Amino acid sequence: MSPPDDCLARNDWICGAYLSTRRHILLDAVVQHLQITLIAVAIALVIAVPLAVVARRWGWAAGPVLALTTVLYTIPSLAMFSLLLPAYGLSATLVVAGLVLYSLTLLVRNILAGLRAVPEETRQAARGMGYGPIRLLLTVELPLALPAALAGLRIATVSAVSLVTVGAIVGHGGLGNLIYAGMNTYFKAQVLTASVLCVVIAIAADLVLLGVGRLLTPWTRASHA
């Protein structure tokens, strides 16, 4: 008997019919994947900046802050979601909370490294011009720390894109939902398509942040020229 002409019936890995007949399902999964990723990274960034500033301002705080965020990063994702389950239930918020905690390690370390790399003579010059602590932070230290901070943001974002898929265990994993369902039913086209889309999102996010970084830090391009 000759094989069926329909790639869905043959259960091929690469199947155009899957893309055309499931495009709405794929679009919904991509949107959920992006929403969870963006919300989690944005919240983590809002938390990480003050933590890094505190660690830079008061040296004694650096050890505890880095230790805490490092310990959080070592917790396996399934265990992390289990620990957060009583607080958030089986919701998208559970996945977002877990990603926020994971992202803190990468963001805090890189932002702190950037702040520490600001030359002391630059700080002294700004203070000599009458800059107070807040103005010094906002107009001198944070802008100069941007390259390191953006490097951490790129890593945290790509990592979050990957970790969102684990949220499939609670039904909020974006493309991970399709990968998980496809593996259970051995639906090859669904597994491959959703996996490739995850990779595409990660690469696209990294390139976008790279471009943003180049726009926000033109002096780094000049120094490499």
Side-chain angles (χ1 to χ4, degrees):
M1 179 182 296
S2 59
D5 294 331
D6 187 354
C7 60
L8 286 174
R10 294 195 305 268
N11 195 24
D12 291 340
W13 285 102
I14 301 176
C15 182
Y18 174 79
L19 295 174
S20 60
T21 58
R22 269 76 167 186
R23 59 181 178 274
H24 296 301
I25 296 175
L26 287 169
L27 180 60
D28 289 344
V30 168
V31 170
Q32 185 187 70
H33 208 105
L34 290 173
Q35 286 178 336
I36 293 175
T37 299
L38 292 175
I39 292 172
V41 174
I43 294 174
L45 188 60
V46 169
I47 298 173
V49 172
L51 286 177
V53 170
V54 167
R56 175 66 184 87
R57 282 279 187 270
W58 297 280
W60 61 266
V65 168
L66 292 176
L68 176 61
T69 55
T70 300
V71 169
L72 290 173
Y73 198 77
T74 62
I75 301 175
S77 54
L78 292 178
M80 177 71 79
F81 289 161
S82 298
L83 292 173
L84 296 173
L85 187 60
Y88 298 106
L90 299 175
S91 65
T93 306
L94 170 67
V95 183
V96 170
L99 294 181
V100 167
L101 295 178
Y102 281 128
S103 299
L104 283 178
T105 302
L106 302 169
L107 292 173
V108 170
R109 283 185 176 277
N110 280 271
I111 296 171
L112 180 57
L115 291 172
R116 284 174 169 172
V118 176
E120 186 58 34
E121 56 267 25
T122 301
R123 293 191 177 91
Q124 294 297 339
R127 293 190 185 100
M129 296 171 63
Y131 281 43
I134 301 299
R135 187 182 179 191
L136 175 64
L137 174 67
L138 296 178
T139 63
V140 177
E141 293 179 313
L142 285 179
L144 290 178
L146 264 180
L150 287 169
L153 182 60
R154 288 172 60 193
I155 299 172
T157 302
V158 172
S159 177
V161 170
S162 174
L163 287 172
V164 168
T165 57
V166 183
I169 62 174
V170 294
H172 297 280
L175 291 164
N177 293 341
L178 300 182
I179 296 174
Y180 184 72
M183 291 176 64
N184 284 337
T185 59
Y186 199 56
F187 193 173
K188 296 178 181 178
Q190 180 161 294
V191 172
L192 180 62
T193 303
S195 299
V196 169
L197 285 174
C198 284
V199 175
V200 170
I201 290 174
I203 293 174
D206 189 56
L207 291 176
V208 168
L209 290 173
L210 178 62
V212 170
R214 289 179 179 275
L215 290 175
L216 294 179
T217 57
W219 63 88
T220 60
R221 300 200 303 273
S223 64
H224 292 312

